[in-house]
Amino acid sequence: MAIQDFIPSKNIRLDQQLRFTAEIDNMTSILRRTLLVDGSRRENDAEHSWHIAVMALLFEEYASQPVDVNRAVKMCVVHDLIEIYAGDTFAYDTKGNEDKAQREQAAADKLFAMLPSEQGQEIRQLWEEFDAMQTPDAKYAACMDRLQPFLHNTLTQGHTWVEGGISRPMVEKRMSIIKEFMPGIYGWVEQNLDNAIEKGWLKV
């Protein structure tokens, strides 16, 4: 069975929505560097997106500005859809990040064009807002996107940090949005950074 087996309805809009829904199932095949907490395997994009969307329901009280949690959840759910075509780029991969923006823009053009125009535009705007990380909602969603893999690293012996030869300043730079927007959580982050240095999971 594959998309070739799709039986069209008599409704073009419905067909667009159904085909898009089938296409984004490919998120389950995009593997990230982060391990599941049980250490059994790498997580996929769909799992990551679901995880941070649930987190967005939980941590609002730590945000330094009011946020629209529903909008933030939407951003969490859609923020990695373009990786179906662009692939996952490891946060600390300097070379891979050089052309990341171009790859992701091209992926967005292709993916969101599958939907009815106003829905494609709405999801693309949420994706772009998340990526720009300027509004309170986007900053909050970005905090979830950074907090989740950080938590996983603390529970998997720093797996991706060790694998990538990552240093504390590199992690601190990535977690700076949490320091800015959710300072009440950053104390816990610092505790875990200290522990990671002590255990040799992070370079100084």
Side-chain angles (χ1 to χ4, degrees):
M1 298 291 289
I3 192 64
Q4 290 80 8
D5 299 305
F6 175 73
I7 300 174
S9 69
K10 295 181 180 179
N11 183 328
I12 294 174
R13 179 182 177 86
L14 175 60
D15 288 348
Q16 289 176 314
Q17 293 164 328
L18 290 170
R19 287 179 180 275
F20 178 84
T21 301
E23 187 71 0
I24 64 174
D25 180 68
N26 287 310
M27 284 190 80
T28 61
S29 300
I30 307 299
L31 295 180
R32 293 166 47 82
R33 295 286 189 95
T34 306
L35 286 186
L36 298 181
V37 171
D38 68 6
S40 61
R41 61 173 174 82
R42 291 159 63 185
E43 70 175 357
N44 64 50
D45 265 358
E47 291 166 331
H48 167 71
S49 298
W50 158 80
H51 211 168
I52 67 171
V54 175
M55 289 171 64
L57 299 175
L58 305 179
F59 294 96
E60 179 187 6
E61 65 196 88
Y62 302 101
S64 60
Q65 294 177 254
V67 296
D68 183 334
V69 171
N70 287 335
R71 289 192 78 250
V73 167
K74 288 181 179 181
M75 288 183 200
C76 290
V77 170
V78 306
H79 81 291
D80 274 345
L81 287 176
I82 45 82
E83 292 188 0
I84 291 169
Y85 304 135
D88 177 63
T89 304
F90 184 41
Y92 303 104
D93 180 355
T94 304
K95 184 171 179 59
N97 277 283
E98 287 177 359
D99 67 345
K100 177 184 176 185
Q102 296 94 315
R103 286 186 287 109
E104 293 190 345
Q105 286 290 336
D109 291 343
K110 179 179 178 180
L111 182 64
F112 300 136
M114 295 180 67
L115 281 167
S117 59
E118 86 284 356
Q119 288 186 325
Q121 184 177 11
E122 178 190 4
I123 294 178
R124 181 168 191 147
Q125 286 174 346
L126 286 167
W127 169 70
E128 290 176 345
E129 182 179 344
F130 173 90
D131 210 43
M133 219 164 58
Q134 295 297 313
T135 65
D137 296 346
K139 289 180 179 181
Y140 181 63
C143 286
M144 302 301 101
D145 186 45
R146 285 153 174 73
L147 184 60
Q148 186 255 3
F150 183 90
L151 174 62
H152 280 231
N153 265 305
T154 69
L155 301 174
T156 57
Q157 299 181 318
H159 175 79
T160 58
W161 297 334
V162 174
E163 186 178 61
I166 308 305
S167 68
R168 178 172 184 155
M170 293 166 72
V171 178
E172 287 175 333
K173 181 179 179 180
R174 183 153 180 82
M175 301 296 283
S176 62
I177 185 63
I178 294 179
K179 186 175 185 179
E180 169 203 338
F181 197 76
M182 306 184 79
I185 291 179
Y186 199 74
W188 173 84
V189 169
E190 288 186 310
Q191 283 181 286
N192 280 278
L193 288 172
D194 290 342
N195 183 63
I197 291 293
E198 182 181 331
K199 297 285 179 58
W201 302 342
L202 284 173
K203 296 180 178 180
V204 179

